[in-house]
Amino acid sequence: MLPAAPDEWTIQEAAHLLRRAGFGGSPKDIESFHALGRYKAVESLLAPTEPVDAFNLPAWATHDQALADMKERQEQFQEIRRATRDLSPEEAEKVRKEYRQKQQRTERQHGIEAQGWWFRRMLKTEAPLREKMVLFWHDHFATSLQKVKQPVLMVMQNELFRRNATGSFKELTHSILKDPAMMLYLDTQTSKKGQPNENFAREVMELFTLGEGNYTEPDIKEAARAFTGYSLNRLNGTVVHNKRQWDEGEKKIFGKSGKFDGDDVIDLLFAQEAAARYVPKKLWEYFAAEDPPEEGVDALAKSFKAADFKVEPLLREIFRSKAFYSDKIVRNQIKSPIQFLVQMFKELELESPPQGYTVNAQLQLGQVLFMPPNVAGWDWGKAWINTNTLLTRYNVAGFITKGAQESSQLADNGDAMMDQEMDKKQMRVANLLDRAQRTWAGPDYEKIAPRPLREDPEKLVDSLVQRFFQAPLGGKERGAFIEYAVSKKGAIFTNKEVGELCHLMLSTPHYQLD
Amino acid sequence: MKTRRDFLRSTILGASATWTVPMFVERTFADLHMGARDLATQPVTGKDGTILVVLQLAGGNDGLNTLVPYADDAYHSARPSLGKKEKEIIKLSDHVGLNGAMPFMGSLFKEGNLGVVQGVGYPNPNRSHFVSTSIWETADIQNRSSTGWIGRYFDNACDGADPTVGISLNKTQPESFGAAKNPGVCLSSPELYRWIHGGGEKAQAEEFFASLNSPEDDDNPVDGASIDMPAGGKVGGIEGESNLAFLERVAMDARVSSAKILELASKYKSKVNYEGTPISRSLNMVSRLIAGGMPTRVYYVSHGGFDTHNQQVNSHDRLLGQLDRALKSFFADLKEQGNDKRVVLMTFSEFGRRVSENASAGTDHGRASCMFLAGDAVKGGLFGAYPSLTELDQGDLKHNVDFRGVYASVLEGWLKTSSKPILRGDFAKLGMIG
């Protein structure tokens, strides 16, 4: 067990826990969270009162509708087959192409809706740790809409993560083997007896359970044989183990021999020492800091194994530990793009993001929900930041804090260069952006920076610093903000000027840290 | 000696956004004269320096269907449905030919400006995309290095250069740019590569922005020697740098490079048409920046989608076709500008694919593959030997050229620097350049 911190805590520590185990909050949110005391606050995160189904799924993603859609698709497919039977190959191809395009349009639309649905859920949920764990599992068992292509399957997987958010990692891994989206993503559904596809076997060892160096190439080859025979029924989205396509022969994996199937292999994986270390280390890195010391990982691995791979006790240990609140960890993690966006909305007390804007912002910042770059998920930490993404963060913050006044700027400078090479996809994004920009009003600055506060630039700055950083800043930054605020305090300190001050605060290296 | 921050601060940060490139170049030279004690230090010029473009084929390019051993029966029997027939390829020799989707590369070969390296790999290859990519990008087959081979080139040979010595046209920074001092910059669209203020009194806001985005400790050389909390510098970072110091440095590099890049990129318009594919657009941007006179020595672009486990034929041919057309436009554009003699382009991929096709008409992760070097300065031809298709290692081609030998050839023959400190060893050059 990691040494625990006392129940009593500071408001800074409360803000830290709410940022890391959730997406931060407004000054009021943090105050009431702090009032619970450390232990109760941790329990409130681990056992939220909000039910798992508190948010309605998009209509097309509900079980019955999804089933009906799949059936309809199948029927349409057959109908097209009938209809094209007597056509020339060219005409038939044209009909098929039209159908495919229609299908793709629908799916693209659903994909955007799914992304918006999950993002809003992160923003509004009363169970922030659950959503943060869903994001963790999404990164861990990374699956991308780009290959899976069916948003409904991605939402099903997302719900699987939510139901198992803090449950057993072992059970979740068993489920992911038979998860339709994962099967399509790692080609399990085309892997057959005599001709195994190694994709899932390799990634389940390297990326999901053990990590590089804890298995051999023959282990992968043999496991791939065991993972054959799982097939996805595209009519109802269920997965069955088809014994005829399964390689029922003897396999030798991790020195053990048997007529293993996929579930057997997963049990074998969890019998390996490395399985107890792999996810605890990743969880510490996700919630606390990179490169944890060996002893820390040892302690967590021991607890994880004792809890039979249940995640909840492990999280409790992390969030109660003294180490989690140490100076080296607090305000020293680089925000992921999703964290940056959701937290900024919460700090600005915004109820919902501007239409269509957040998906584009995710794309520019390098983290699009349901679209991790590859099966290893996203690279975290410093990898989020380079000259390009940092400037983009600043500009995203500018738009959110200042609203529609930005639009002409963004539109102007691109035109001359972009018309030549802008493809249709960019065009669509640009149009979406344009619409967002015309209608986005920005935050309610009367609430965030009440008029009386604006009389005293120093107080105004300190209040905003508390809102955005939840900790005192270095003298240089604070001084610059005050100087700026003083220069703005002419005859009248308008909302526009508060917005500019906020933008300047968010356009700093410090704001990228949590 | 001045630190890099001192230098940047005194020359650029003090000047307004309208400073010109020649002035910048001149000052770079002045600074180098002062500090050039190391003979390996190279001046960076905006006019006639040589330029390397590194093009990543991400996902593991199938070398066998790129450089096809069409005369080998073993090829056709291992790939009954994926194999390319003799009439589908562009013959380079009695044994091998290019995938038919690459006519431009074929003509480049005939003109003697395409070097094709066969059977490239490294000892004890790793079939993980991530580990293998990392090995290629760090040029460290133990995969322990926290700097990349290009980053070490910047550190060793481009001391005092401004951050745009390396430009990656990616949203994320490639691991090969990881450096102890200068990891280059990264951008995806020059139009948005700047701080957009958009409110009233722009100049004043920008001044505050500038001061908030300059590092505080101007007096400390950026050598990472005494930082108490090392945070892994594996991706894009600098070794041993805290997260805050890292952010401050990136913020300054962004400010310093953004105005210049935006200005230069908008100045030049290609007379050549490019396709709308991402790889074509990236190369178009590279060409505009070259035309504008950036002091950049290495550009990095990426062409993804090569992880062809499933139904490979269409997707692989399509990807190679996109590559071929992008290169055709790019080299025509460089010629039009008069910069064709300054540029060499090198491709790489993390590994090749298995010799035999799998049941899904795709190929699984393999080992040795091929690399291309293109440009006026390249001595064209086939280099290395094509690996045997019958003497395999676990179903894979055995490599006979170490990729670090190709890097050494490029570093010494083209970038004119000693490769030993960069590659941390001596690797035989192949003689296709320099």
Side-chain angles (χ1 to χ4, degrees), chain B residues 204-234:
Chain B
Q204 187 202 11
E206 278 175 359
E207 195 184 308
F208 280 100
F209 170 76
S211 100
L212 287 164
N213 281 279
S214 316
E216 217 154 337
D217 57 339
D218 279 324
D219 300 327
N220 292 335
V222 198
D223 61 9
S226 63
I227 290 162
D228 63 354
M229 210 205 139
K234 191 89 189 167

PDB file of all heavy atoms in Angstrom, chain B residues 204-234:
ATOM      1  N   GLN B 204      -0.521  45.981 -28.481  1.00  0.00           N
ATOM      2  CA  GLN B 204      -0.333  45.927 -27.041  1.00  0.00           C
ATOM      3  C   GLN B 204      -0.541  44.500 -26.528  1.00  0.00           C
ATOM      4  O   GLN B 204       0.251  43.975 -25.758  1.00  0.00           O
ATOM      5  CB  GLN B 204      -1.327  46.879 -26.371  1.00  0.00           C
ATOM      6  CG  GLN B 204      -1.099  47.004 -24.889  1.00  0.00           C
ATOM      7  CD  GLN B 204      -2.350  47.475 -24.168  1.00  0.00           C
ATOM      8  OE1 GLN B 204      -3.429  47.524 -24.737  1.00  0.00           O
ATOM      9  NE2 GLN B 204      -2.187  47.817 -22.906  1.00  0.00           N
ATOM     10  N   ALA B 205      -1.604  43.861 -27.002  1.00  0.00           N
ATOM     11  CA  ALA B 205      -1.875  42.486 -26.579  1.00  0.00           C
ATOM     12  C   ALA B 205      -0.723  41.579 -26.960  1.00  0.00           C
ATOM     13  O   ALA B 205      -0.311  40.720 -26.189  1.00  0.00           O
ATOM     14  CB  ALA B 205      -3.171  41.997 -27.213  1.00  0.00           C
ATOM     15  N   GLU B 206      -0.200  41.798 -28.147  1.00  0.00           N
ATOM     16  CA  GLU B 206       0.882  40.933 -28.607  1.00  0.00           C
ATOM     17  C   GLU B 206       2.154  41.117 -27.800  1.00  0.00           C
ATOM     18  O   GLU B 206       2.912  40.175 -27.598  1.00  0.00           O
ATOM     19  CB  GLU B 206       1.135  41.138 -30.103  1.00  0.00           C
ATOM     20  CG  GLU B 206       0.130  40.329 -30.902  1.00  0.00           C
ATOM     21  CD  GLU B 206       0.198  40.545 -32.404  1.00  0.00           C
ATOM     22  OE1 GLU B 206       1.025  41.345 -32.860  1.00  0.00           O
ATOM     23  OE2 GLU B 206      -0.599  39.897 -33.104  1.00  0.00           O
ATOM     24  N   GLU B 207       2.346  42.306 -27.338  1.00  0.00           N
ATOM     25  CA  GLU B 207       3.513  42.551 -26.502  1.00  0.00           C
ATOM     26  C   GLU B 207       3.405  41.772 -25.188  1.00  0.00           C
ATOM     27  O   GLU B 207       4.355  41.120 -24.754  1.00  0.00           O
ATOM     28  CB  GLU B 207       3.601  44.055 -26.225  1.00  0.00           C
ATOM     29  CG  GLU B 207       4.925  44.504 -25.695  1.00  0.00           C
ATOM     30  CD  GLU B 207       4.862  45.995 -25.374  1.00  0.00           C
ATOM     31  OE1 GLU B 207       4.445  46.785 -26.263  1.00  0.00           O
ATOM     32  OE2 GLU B 207       5.186  46.344 -24.225  1.00  0.00           O
ATOM     33  N   PHE B 208       2.221  41.800 -24.582  1.00  0.00           N
ATOM     34  CA  PHE B 208       2.027  41.026 -23.358  1.00  0.00           C
ATOM     35  C   PHE B 208       2.145  39.534 -23.640  1.00  0.00           C
ATOM     36  O   PHE B 208       2.740  38.787 -22.875  1.00  0.00           O
ATOM     37  CB  PHE B 208       0.661  41.342 -22.723  1.00  0.00           C
ATOM     38  CG  PHE B 208       0.669  42.603 -21.942  1.00  0.00           C
ATOM     39  CD1 PHE B 208       0.161  43.780 -22.471  1.00  0.00           C
ATOM     40  CD2 PHE B 208       1.210  42.629 -20.658  1.00  0.00           C
ATOM     41  CE1 PHE B 208       0.177  44.953 -21.760  1.00  0.00           C
ATOM     42  CE2 PHE B 208       1.236  43.813 -19.931  1.00  0.00           C
ATOM     43  CZ  PHE B 208       0.725  44.981 -20.479  1.00  0.00           C
ATOM     44  N   PHE B 209       1.559  39.149 -24.765  1.00  0.00           N
ATOM     45  CA  PHE B 209       1.640  37.740 -25.147  1.00  0.00           C
ATOM     46  C   PHE B 209       3.102  37.309 -25.272  1.00  0.00           C
ATOM     47  O   PHE B 209       3.517  36.275 -24.776  1.00  0.00           O
ATOM     48  CB  PHE B 209       0.905  37.529 -26.475  1.00  0.00           C
ATOM     49  CG  PHE B 209       1.125  36.168 -27.062  1.00  0.00           C
ATOM     50  CD1 PHE B 209       0.475  35.055 -26.528  1.00  0.00           C
ATOM     51  CD2 PHE B 209       1.979  35.992 -28.134  1.00  0.00           C
ATOM     52  CE1 PHE B 209       0.682  33.793 -27.056  1.00  0.00           C
ATOM     53  CE2 PHE B 209       2.199  34.723 -28.666  1.00  0.00           C
ATOM     54  CZ  PHE B 209       1.542  33.631 -28.127  1.00  0.00           C
ATOM     55  N   ALA B 210       3.895  38.174 -25.924  1.00  0.00           N
ATOM     56  CA  ALA B 210       5.306  37.852 -26.128  1.00  0.00           C
ATOM     57  C   ALA B 210       6.024  37.682 -24.797  1.00  0.00           C
ATOM     58  O   ALA B 210       6.777  36.732 -24.593  1.00  0.00           O
ATOM     59  CB  ALA B 210       5.968  38.938 -26.965  1.00  0.00           C
ATOM     60  N   SER B 211       5.753  38.602 -23.877  1.00  0.00           N
ATOM     61  CA  SER B 211       6.489  38.504 -22.620  1.00  0.00           C
ATOM     62  C   SER B 211       6.043  37.283 -21.825  1.00  0.00           C
ATOM     63  O   SER B 211       6.831  36.641 -21.151  1.00  0.00           O
ATOM     64  CB  SER B 211       6.351  39.802 -21.827  1.00  0.00           C
ATOM     65  OG  SER B 211       5.383  39.667 -20.832  1.00  0.00           O
ATOM     66  N   LEU B 212       4.767  36.919 -21.938  1.00  0.00           N
ATOM     67  CA  LEU B 212       4.272  35.744 -21.211  1.00  0.00           C
ATOM     68  C   LEU B 212       4.754  34.444 -21.829  1.00  0.00           C
ATOM     69  O   LEU B 212       4.704  33.394 -21.207  1.00  0.00           O
ATOM     70  CB  LEU B 212       2.738  35.759 -21.171  1.00  0.00           C
ATOM     71  CG  LEU B 212       2.127  36.794 -20.240  1.00  0.00           C
ATOM     72  CD1 LEU B 212       0.657  36.995 -20.576  1.00  0.00           C
ATOM     73  CD2 LEU B 212       2.280  36.374 -18.793  1.00  0.00           C
ATOM     74  N   ASN B 213       5.192  34.517 -23.062  1.00  0.00           N
ATOM     75  CA  ASN B 213       5.631  33.303 -23.736  1.00  0.00           C
ATOM     76  C   ASN B 213       7.127  33.285 -24.032  1.00  0.00           C
ATOM     77  O   ASN B 213       7.574  32.712 -25.010  1.00  0.00           O
ATOM     78  CB  ASN B 213       4.816  33.071 -25.013  1.00  0.00           C
ATOM     79  CG  ASN B 213       3.464  32.489 -24.686  1.00  0.00           C
ATOM     80  OD1 ASN B 213       3.334  31.287 -24.466  1.00  0.00           O
ATOM     81  ND2 ASN B 213       2.455  33.347 -24.593  1.00  0.00           N
ATOM     82  N   SER B 214       7.886  33.948 -23.174  1.00  0.00           N
ATOM     83  CA  SER B 214       9.343  33.845 -23.254  1.00  0.00           C
ATOM     84  C   SER B 214       9.809  33.196 -21.967  1.00  0.00           C
ATOM     85  O   SER B 214       9.283  33.482 -20.901  1.00  0.00           O
ATOM     86  CB  SER B 214       9.977  35.221 -23.356  1.00  0.00           C
ATOM     87  OG  SER B 214       9.266  36.000 -24.269  1.00  0.00           O
ATOM     88  N   PRO B 215      10.795  32.356 -22.070  1.00  0.00           N
ATOM     89  CA  PRO B 215      11.272  31.687 -20.868  1.00  0.00           C
ATOM     90  C   PRO B 215      11.838  32.685 -19.882  1.00  0.00           C
ATOM     91  O   PRO B 215      12.362  33.739 -20.264  1.00  0.00           O
ATOM     92  CB  PRO B 215      12.364  30.768 -21.367  1.00  0.00           C
ATOM     93  CG  PRO B 215      12.279  30.769 -22.842  1.00  0.00           C
ATOM     94  CD  PRO B 215      11.560  32.004 -23.249  1.00  0.00           C
ATOM     95  N   GLU B 216      11.759  32.344 -18.606  1.00  0.00           N
ATOM     96  CA  GLU B 216      12.205  33.248 -17.574  1.00  0.00           C
ATOM     97  C   GLU B 216      13.723  33.192 -17.374  1.00  0.00           C
ATOM     98  O   GLU B 216      14.371  34.186 -17.176  1.00  0.00           O
ATOM     99  CB  GLU B 216      11.517  32.889 -16.261  1.00  0.00           C
ATOM    100  CG  GLU B 216      11.158  34.089 -15.446  1.00  0.00           C
ATOM    101  CD  GLU B 216       9.973  33.779 -14.547  1.00  0.00           C
ATOM    102  OE1 GLU B 216       9.215  32.853 -14.855  1.00  0.00           O
ATOM    103  OE2 GLU B 216       9.820  34.462 -13.537  1.00  0.00           O
ATOM    104  N   ASP B 217      14.259  31.962 -17.443  1.00  0.00           N
ATOM    105  CA  ASP B 217      15.669  31.778 -17.096  1.00  0.00           C
ATOM    106  C   ASP B 217      16.559  31.940 -18.321  1.00  0.00           C
ATOM    107  O   ASP B 217      17.150  31.003 -18.808  1.00  0.00           O
ATOM    108  CB  ASP B 217      15.885  30.406 -16.477  1.00  0.00           C
ATOM    109  CG  ASP B 217      15.423  29.288 -17.389  1.00  0.00           C
ATOM    110  OD1 ASP B 217      14.584  29.546 -18.301  1.00  0.00           O
ATOM    111  OD2 ASP B 217      15.907  28.170 -17.240  1.00  0.00           O
ATOM    112  N   ASP B 218      16.645  33.150 -18.787  1.00  0.00           N
ATOM    113  CA  ASP B 218      17.409  33.391 -20.005  1.00  0.00           C
ATOM    114  C   ASP B 218      18.892  33.075 -19.883  1.00  0.00           C
ATOM    115  O   ASP B 218      19.581  32.918 -20.868  1.00  0.00           O
ATOM    116  CB  ASP B 218      17.257  34.848 -20.434  1.00  0.00           C
ATOM    117  CG  ASP B 218      15.951  35.047 -21.172  1.00  0.00           C
ATOM    118  OD1 ASP B 218      15.547  34.131 -21.908  1.00  0.00           O
ATOM    119  OD2 ASP B 218      15.343  36.089 -21.002  1.00  0.00           O
ATOM    120  N   ASP B 219      19.355  33.023 -18.660  1.00  0.00           N
ATOM    121  CA  ASP B 219      20.800  32.875 -18.500  1.00  0.00           C
ATOM    122  C   ASP B 219      21.271  31.429 -18.474  1.00  0.00           C
ATOM    123  O   ASP B 219      22.454  31.163 -18.553  1.00  0.00           O
ATOM    124  CB  ASP B 219      21.247  33.575 -17.211  1.00  0.00           C
ATOM    125  CG  ASP B 219      20.897  35.046 -17.275  1.00  0.00           C
ATOM    126  OD1 ASP B 219      20.934  35.592 -18.401  1.00  0.00           O
ATOM    127  OD2 ASP B 219      20.558  35.630 -16.234  1.00  0.00           O
ATOM    128  N   ASN B 220      20.343  30.526 -18.340  1.00  0.00           N
ATOM    129  CA  ASN B 220      20.756  29.131 -18.296  1.00  0.00           C
ATOM    130  C   ASN B 220      20.900  28.544 -19.685  1.00  0.00           C
ATOM    131  O   ASN B 220      19.965  28.555 -20.454  1.00  0.00           O
ATOM    132  CB  ASN B 220      19.728  28.290 -17.534  1.00  0.00           C
ATOM    133  CG  ASN B 220      19.720  28.638 -16.074  1.00  0.00           C
ATOM    134  OD1 ASN B 220      20.711  29.122 -15.549  1.00  0.00           O
ATOM    135  ND2 ASN B 220      18.601  28.398 -15.428  1.00  0.00           N
ATOM    136  N   PRO B 221      22.058  28.024 -19.978  1.00  0.00           N
ATOM    137  CA  PRO B 221      22.176  27.340 -21.263  1.00  0.00           C
ATOM    138  C   PRO B 221      21.220  26.149 -21.269  1.00  0.00           C
ATOM    139  O   PRO B 221      20.989  25.532 -20.230  1.00  0.00           O
ATOM    140  CB  PRO B 221      23.624  26.854 -21.294  1.00  0.00           C
ATOM    141  CG  PRO B 221      24.316  27.456 -20.129  1.00  0.00           C
ATOM    142  CD  PRO B 221      23.279  27.928 -19.178  1.00  0.00           C
ATOM    143  N   VAL B 222      20.706  25.822 -22.422  1.00  0.00           N
ATOM    144  CA  VAL B 222      19.729  24.743 -22.484  1.00  0.00           C
ATOM    145  C   VAL B 222      20.449  23.411 -22.628  1.00  0.00           C
ATOM    146  O   VAL B 222      20.424  22.787 -23.663  1.00  0.00           O
ATOM    147  CB  VAL B 222      18.773  24.951 -23.677  1.00  0.00           C
ATOM    148  CG1 VAL B 222      17.519  24.117 -23.494  1.00  0.00           C
ATOM    149  CG2 VAL B 222      18.405  26.404 -23.809  1.00  0.00           C
ATOM    150  N   ASP B 223      21.128  22.996 -21.583  1.00  0.00           N
ATOM    151  CA  ASP B 223      21.829  21.733 -21.721  1.00  0.00           C
ATOM    152  C   ASP B 223      21.230  20.640 -20.845  1.00  0.00           C
ATOM    153  O   ASP B 223      21.667  19.509 -20.863  1.00  0.00           O
ATOM    154  CB  ASP B 223      23.315  21.907 -21.410  1.00  0.00           C
ATOM    155  CG  ASP B 223      23.543  22.381 -19.990  1.00  0.00           C
ATOM    156  OD1 ASP B 223      22.568  22.417 -19.205  1.00  0.00           O
ATOM    157  OD2 ASP B 223      24.679  22.733 -19.662  1.00  0.00           O
ATOM    158  N   GLY B 224      20.233  20.991 -20.085  1.00  0.00           N
ATOM    159  CA  GLY B 224      19.523  19.983 -19.314  1.00  0.00           C
ATOM    160  C   GLY B 224      20.363  19.339 -18.228  1.00  0.00           C
ATOM    161  O   GLY B 224      20.006  18.288 -17.718  1.00  0.00           O
ATOM    162  N   ALA B 225      21.498  19.932 -17.890  1.00  0.00           N
ATOM    163  CA  ALA B 225      22.413  19.255 -16.985  1.00  0.00           C
ATOM    164  C   ALA B 225      21.937  19.244 -15.538  1.00  0.00           C
ATOM    165  O   ALA B 225      22.145  18.292 -14.821  1.00  0.00           O
ATOM    166  CB  ALA B 225      23.785  19.907 -17.059  1.00  0.00           C
ATOM    167  N   SER B 226      21.285  20.307 -15.115  1.00  0.00           N
ATOM    168  CA  SER B 226      21.003  20.402 -13.690  1.00  0.00           C
ATOM    169  C   SER B 226      19.522  20.567 -13.390  1.00  0.00           C
ATOM    170  O   SER B 226      19.126  21.360 -12.567  1.00  0.00           O
ATOM    171  CB  SER B 226      21.770  21.590 -13.123  1.00  0.00           C
ATOM    172  OG  SER B 226      21.293  22.761 -13.751  1.00  0.00           O
ATOM    173  N   ILE B 227      18.726  19.832 -14.082  1.00  0.00           N
ATOM    174  CA  ILE B 227      17.297  19.958 -13.817  1.00  0.00           C
ATOM    175  C   ILE B 227      16.895  18.823 -12.902  1.00  0.00           C
ATOM    176  O   ILE B 227      17.167  17.660 -13.157  1.00  0.00           O
ATOM    177  CB  ILE B 227      16.514  19.948 -15.133  1.00  0.00           C
ATOM    178  CG1 ILE B 227      16.790  21.252 -15.868  1.00  0.00           C
ATOM    179  CG2 ILE B 227      15.029  19.815 -14.877  1.00  0.00           C
ATOM    180  CD1 ILE B 227      16.461  21.223 -17.308  1.00  0.00           C
ATOM    181  N   ASP B 228      16.262  19.169 -11.800  1.00  0.00           N
ATOM    182  CA  ASP B 228      16.096  18.141 -10.774  1.00  0.00           C
ATOM    183  C   ASP B 228      14.998  17.148 -11.053  1.00  0.00           C
ATOM    184  O   ASP B 228      14.954  16.086 -10.494  1.00  0.00           O
ATOM    185  CB  ASP B 228      15.919  18.793  -9.397  1.00  0.00           C
ATOM    186  CG  ASP B 228      14.666  19.624  -9.325  1.00  0.00           C
ATOM    187  OD1 ASP B 228      13.995  19.780 -10.383  1.00  0.00           O
ATOM    188  OD2 ASP B 228      14.331  20.130  -8.252  1.00  0.00           O
ATOM    189  N   MET B 229      14.104  17.515 -11.942  1.00  0.00           N
ATOM    190  CA  MET B 229      13.051  16.547 -12.190  1.00  0.00           C
ATOM    191  C   MET B 229      12.984  16.127 -13.639  1.00  0.00           C
ATOM    192  O   MET B 229      12.283  16.703 -14.439  1.00  0.00           O
ATOM    193  CB  MET B 229      11.716  17.104 -11.764  1.00  0.00           C
ATOM    194  CG  MET B 229      10.798  15.991 -11.322  1.00  0.00           C
ATOM    195  SD  MET B 229       9.120  16.476 -11.507  1.00  0.00           S
ATOM    196  CE  MET B 229       8.426  14.988 -12.131  1.00  0.00           C
ATOM    197  N   PRO B 230      13.751  15.138 -14.002  1.00  0.00           N
ATOM    198  CA  PRO B 230      13.727  14.732 -15.389  1.00  0.00           C
ATOM    199  C   PRO B 230      12.367  14.136 -15.728  1.00  0.00           C
ATOM    200  O   PRO B 230      11.834  13.324 -14.974  1.00  0.00           O
ATOM    201  CB  PRO B 230      14.822  13.672 -15.494  1.00  0.00           C
ATOM    202  CG  PRO B 230      15.047  13.194 -14.112  1.00  0.00           C
ATOM    203  CD  PRO B 230      14.591  14.258 -13.172  1.00  0.00           C
ATOM    204  N   ALA B 231      11.804  14.576 -16.827  1.00  0.00           N
ATOM    205  CA  ALA B 231      10.563  13.978 -17.299  1.00  0.00           C
ATOM    206  C   ALA B 231      10.870  13.439 -18.676  1.00  0.00           C
ATOM    207  O   ALA B 231      11.473  14.129 -19.473  1.00  0.00           O
ATOM    208  CB  ALA B 231       9.456  15.023 -17.354  1.00  0.00           C
ATOM    209  N   GLY B 232      10.517  12.229 -18.945  1.00  0.00           N
ATOM    210  CA  GLY B 232      10.896  11.539 -20.176  1.00  0.00           C
ATOM    211  C   GLY B 232      10.824  12.419 -21.410  1.00  0.00           C
ATOM    212  O   GLY B 232       9.781  12.952 -21.721  1.00  0.00           O
ATOM    213  N   GLY B 233      11.930  12.576 -22.094  1.00  0.00           N
ATOM    214  CA  GLY B 233      11.944  13.425 -23.280  1.00  0.00           C
ATOM    215  C   GLY B 233      11.747  12.616 -24.544  1.00  0.00           C
ATOM    216  O   GLY B 233      12.199  13.001 -25.597  1.00  0.00           O
ATOM    217  N   LYS B 234      11.109  11.485 -24.414  1.00  0.00           N
ATOM    218  CA  LYS B 234      11.056  10.527 -25.519  1.00  0.00           C
ATOM    219  C   LYS B 234      10.409  11.110 -26.775  1.00  0.00           C
ATOM    220  O   LYS B 234      10.914  10.928 -27.857  1.00  0.00           O
ATOM    221  CB  LYS B 234      10.288   9.295 -25.053  1.00  0.00           C
ATOM    222  CG  LYS B 234      10.368   8.118 -25.985  1.00  0.00           C
ATOM    223  CD  LYS B 234      11.551   7.239 -25.675  1.00  0.00           C
ATOM    224  CE  LYS B 234      11.706   6.196 -26.766  1.00  0.00           C
ATOM    225  NZ  LYS B 234      12.958   5.507 -26.728  1.00  0.00           N
TER     226      LYS B 234
END
